[in-house]
C-alpha cells in the first residue's frame, strides 16, 4: 500500500529505527488433550486458527459456557485455541470441542479468580504491584517491582499466601513500574515525549489519533517536533482509573491520517481493532526503542503506578522504555491491539509492559479505526519506503529514565535523542527519523526478534 505525502499536516510521526528481524516460531505450552483428560474418540480435532479468529472464538465461547469458562489462550505453535473448562462440566467441554477449540480441565473458575483479584485490590493495592489472570496456569500472576520491600512485601506476600497455593503465584521484578513518557522526539508537549498509537476518526468525523492517557498530563497541545507548532489537541483523556488512553484531534481538519504503523523500512496497514488473546504474538512500535515483539501474558491486568491504579490492561513480555508511551501494539496481520502504558525494565534486560486495549479506548472516546487497506486475504503487507531509513545514533539524555512521577507533566525531561535523516514515515514524515541508536533501518518482514 502506498500512502500520500500530506501537504498541510503530517498524519503520523516517523519513529525509531527498525530491528533486523529473523524468523522463529513462538514456543508456547502445548495443550494436549490426552494429558488434560479431555480426549474422547468422537471429539473433533481442534481447528487451525489465526490469532484474531481465535480471539473471536474465545469471546463467543466465554458467553456460551458461562460459569464453566475459566479463560483461554492461543497456542501459537499449533495455531489452536485452548479453552479452560471447570472440571466436571462435561457438556460444556463438548461445546468447546464442537466449536473447534482444545479443552483443558482446570480447578479454578473465572469467578473464583476474579474474587481473588478483588482481595488483592482491597488488601494489597501497593504502588509497584500488578496482577492479572494467567489462563495457562489457571492462577493469578502477581508481580512486585523492586520498590516493594520490607513491610509492603510482607503485606503482599501474606495476601497472596492467604489466597491459597492453587490460586496465585508471586513474582519479583528487577525493574520499577513506571509510565513510559520522557523528553526526546516523536510527539511533544510541555517537555515530555510520547508516541503516537493509531490514527482514528473521531465521533464527529474529524481526523484524530490515540495515545496514552498519562501523556495528556504534559499539556493539551502536541507537536511532531520538539518546540514545534502544535498539530493536535487533547480531546479526551483518562489516567489513572479504568484505563490509560487519550484521543487527540488533528488541528488541521484536512489532515489525512492513514491507518497504518510505520516500522522504519516498511508500513503495516491496520485492518481493524481486536481483542488480545493470551499467547498471541504481538509487536510494539515506539519512538525510543523502535520495533520490539513478544507475547501476551495476561488480560484485565491491574497495575499500581505511583500516580494511581489503572485497571483493564494487557500484560506482555514486550520490552519498552521512556518515550514509548502511547505507541502501538499490533499483530503481523494488521490487528490493532493496544497502546503502551508502562511497566518495568528496558530493552536490554527485559521486563513487563502493560498496554491499554484499543477496543476499550475506541468505545470510550467514540472513535473508529478505519481499514488500513489490507489485501483481500486480510494479511497486512509491508510498503517499502524511500532511501535513507537509518536511525540516528544519539544516546538518550540523562533524564530519559526519569521515574513515573516525573514523566508526563513534569516538563523537565532532557531531549537527548538525535534525529535521523531521510525517514519517510507512515504519514509522510520527512527527515525526522528517531535517534535511539538501537536498531538500523532494514527493509525486513515482521517476525520474532528473539
Amino acid at each position: 500500500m502506498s500512502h500520500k505525502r500530506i501537504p498541510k499536516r503530517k498524519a503520523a510521526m516517523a519513529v525509531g529505527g527498525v530491528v533486523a528481524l529473523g524468523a522463529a516460531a513462538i514456543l508456547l505450552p502445548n495443550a494436549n488433550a490426552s494429558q488434560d483428560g479431555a480426549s474422547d474418540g468422537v471429539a473433533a480435532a481442534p481447528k487451525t486458527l489465526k490469532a484474531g479468529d481465535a480471539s473471536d472464538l474465545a469471546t463467543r465461547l466465554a458467553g456460551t459456557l458461562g460459569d464453566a469458562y475459566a479463560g483461554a489462550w492461543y497456542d501459537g505453535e499449533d495455531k489452536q485455541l485452548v479453552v479452560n473448562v471447570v472440571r466436571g462440566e462435561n457438556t460444556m467441554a463438548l461445546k468447546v470441542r464442537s466449536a473447534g477449540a482444545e479443552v483443558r480441565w482446570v480447578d479454578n473458575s473465572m469467578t473464583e479468580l476474579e474474587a481473588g483479584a478483588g482481595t488483592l485490590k482491597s488488601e494489597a493495592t501497593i504502588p509497584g504491584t500488578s496482577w492479572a489472570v494467567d489462563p495457562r496456569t489457571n492462577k493469578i500472576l502477581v508481580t512486585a517491582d523492586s520498590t516493594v520491600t520490607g513491610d509492603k512485601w510482607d503485606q503482599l506476600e501474606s495476601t497472596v499466601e492467604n489466597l491459597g497455593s492453587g490460586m496465585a503465584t508471586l513474582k519479583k521484578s528487577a525493574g520499577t513500574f513506571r509510565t513510559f513518557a520522557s523528553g526526546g522526539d516523536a510527539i511533544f508537549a510541555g517537555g515530555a515525549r510520547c508516541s503516537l498509537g493509531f490514527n482514528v476518526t473521531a465521533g464527529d468525523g474529524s481526523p484524530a489519533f490515540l495515545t496514552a492517557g498519562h501523556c495528556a498530563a504534559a499539556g493539551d497541545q502536541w507537536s511532531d517536533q520538539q518546540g514545534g507548532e502544535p498539530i493536535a489537541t487533547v480531546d479526551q483523556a483518562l489516567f489513572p482509573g479504568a484505563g490509560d488512553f487519550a484521543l487527540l484531534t488533528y488541528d488541521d481538519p484536512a489532515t489525512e491520517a492513514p491507518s497504518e504503523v510505520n516500522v522504519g523500512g516498511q508500513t503495516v496497514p491496520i485492518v481493524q481493532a481486536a481483542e488480545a488473546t493470551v499467547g498471541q504474538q504481538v509487536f510494539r512500535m515506539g519512538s525510543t526503542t523502535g520495533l520490539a515483539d513478544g507475547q501476551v501474558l495476561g488480560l484485565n491486568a491491574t497495575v499500581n503506578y505511583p500516580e494511581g491504579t489503572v485497571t483493564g490492561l494487557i500484560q506482555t513480555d514486550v520490552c519498552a522504555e521512556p518515550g514509548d508511551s502511547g505507541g502501538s501494539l499490533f499483530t503481523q496481520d494488521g490487528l490493532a491491539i493496544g497502546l503502551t502504558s508502562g511497566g518495568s525494565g528496558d530493552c536490554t534486560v527485559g521486563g513487563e509492559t502493560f498496554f491499554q486495549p484499543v477496543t476499550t479506548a475506541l468505545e470510550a472516546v467514540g472513535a473508529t479505526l478505519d481499514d488500513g487497506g489490507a489485501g483481500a486475504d486480510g494479511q497486512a503487507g509491508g510498503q517499502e519506503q524511500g532511501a535513507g531509513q537509518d536511525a540516528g545514533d544519539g544516546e538518550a539524555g540523562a533524564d530519559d529514565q526519569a521515574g513515573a512521577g516525573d514523566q508526563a507533566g513534569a516538563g523537565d525531561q532532557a531531549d537527548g535523542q538525535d534525529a535521523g535523516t531521510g525517514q519517510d514515515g507512515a504519514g509522510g514524515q520527512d527527515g525526522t527519523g528517531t535517534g535511539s541508536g538501537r536498531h538500523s533501518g532494514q527493509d525486513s518482514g515482521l517476525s520474532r526478534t528473539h
Side-chain angles (χ1 to χ4, degrees):
M1 188 188 92
S2 61
H3 59 267
K4 297 180 180 179
R5 291 183 180 274
I6 298 166
K8 294 184 178 180
R9 293 292 185 192
K10 304 175 183 69
M13 319 314 160
V15 289
V18 68
V19 181
L21 300 173
I26 300 179
L27 300 178
L28 299 177
N30 289 319
N32 184 304
S34 61
Q35 292 176 340
D36 296 332
S39 176
D40 95 34
V42 298
K47 295 178 181 178
T48 298
L49 300 168
K50 295 180 181 179
D53 295 333
S55 177
D56 292 341
L57 178 57
T59 300
R60 293 198 302 271
L61 286 173
T64 300
L65 301 183
D67 292 341
Y69 178 80
W73 79 88
Y74 182 63
D75 183 334
E77 182 176 288
D78 293 333
K79 300 189 182 304
Q80 295 173 354
L81 178 68
V82 183
V83 177
N84 290 341
V85 178
V86 175
R87 201 174 301 280
E89 295 281 359
N90 296 329
T91 300
M92 295 303 180
L94 288 174
K95 291 184 178 181
V96 171
R97 294 192 193 104
S98 63
E102 183 75 53
V103 171
R104 177 172 177 259
W105 296 112
V106 296
D107 295 318
N108 296 323
S109 69
M110 190 59 69
T111 299
E112 291 170 326
L113 293 168
E114 290 173 351
T119 299
L120 288 163
K121 178 180 179 181
S122 62
E123 299 183 12
T125 297
I126 301 167
T129 62
S130 71
W131 50 81
V133 173
D134 179 2
R136 286 176 291 190
T137 62
N138 189 227
K139 295 180 181 180
I140 304 167
L141 174 61
V142 183
T143 307
D145 73 12
S146 60
T147 67
V148 182
T149 59
D151 291 343
K152 292 180 179 179
W153 171 262
D154 293 342
Q155 178 185 350
L156 180 63
E157 188 175 40
S158 175
T159 303
V160 170
E161 288 176 353
N162 289 337
L163 293 176
S165 60
M167 183 62 66
T169 56
L170 179 57
K171 173 187 174 184
K172 187 75 171 178
S173 174
T176 301
F177 288 164
R178 65 195 188 280
T179 50
F180 289 135
S182 180
D185 63 347
I187 56 173
F188 306 84
R193 178 184 84 235
C194 283
S195 299
L196 186 149
F198 297 98
N199 283 315
V200 298
T201 301
D204 63 0
S206 60
F209 65 85
L210 294 173
T211 190
H214 68 263
C215 294
D220 289 335
Q221 293 187 306
W222 286 76
S223 172
D224 60 350
Q225 299 179 42
Q226 181 76 50
E229 290 296 317
I231 66 163
T233 302
V234 175
D235 181 76
Q236 302 177 56
L238 178 64
F239 176 83
D244 183 5
F245 56 85
L247 176 73
L248 282 73
T249 55
Y250 285 103
D251 296 336
D252 185 346
T255 297
E256 295 184 34
S259 184
E260 60 191 20
V261 176
N262 172 40
V263 294
Q266 60 183 9
T267 58
V268 178
I270 297 301
V271 179
Q272 65 184 61
E275 301 287 347
T277 304
V278 171
Q280 184 176 28
Q281 181 187 8
V282 285
F283 295 87
R284 176 201 53 75
M285 194 66 195
S287 65
T288 299
T289 57
L291 185 67
D293 76 294
Q295 64 173 285
V296 176
L297 301 179
L299 306 177
N300 197 26
T302 295
V303 185
N304 297 300
Y305 293 122
E307 301 94 333
T309 299
V310 181
T311 60
L313 301 183
I314 301 165
Q315 183 170 350
T316 77
D317 63 2
V318 184
C319 73
E321 297 183 11
D324 289 331
S325 275
S328 46
L329 184 74
F330 60 101
T331 67
Q332 184 171 11
D333 53 355
L335 300 179
I337 301 295
L339 308 166
T340 307
S341 174
S344 68
D346 55 36
C347 288
T348 299
V349 301
E352 302 81 21
T353 303
F354 301 94
F355 295 83
Q356 164 66 46
V358 170
T359 52
T360 305
L362 289 171
E363 182 178 3
V365 301
T368 56
L369 196 153
D370 298 327
D371 189 325
D377 62 355
Q379 296 296 321
Q383 179 66 36
E384 300 293 357
Q385 303 299 324
Q389 299 289 348
D390 289 344
D393 59 0
E395 292 296 324
D399 291 337
D400 204 17
Q401 297 293 336
D406 298 328
Q407 286 149 9
D412 60 356
Q413 290 87 350
D415 185 332
Q417 299 280 349
D418 295 332
T421 58
Q423 178 84 356
D424 188 353
Q429 179 87 3
D430 294 327
T432 56
T434 300
S436 69
R438 281 185 172 78
H439 312 306
S440 61
Q442 300 197 21
D443 299 334
S444 303
L446 290 176
S447 60
R448 284 186 59 83
T449 60
H450 60 276

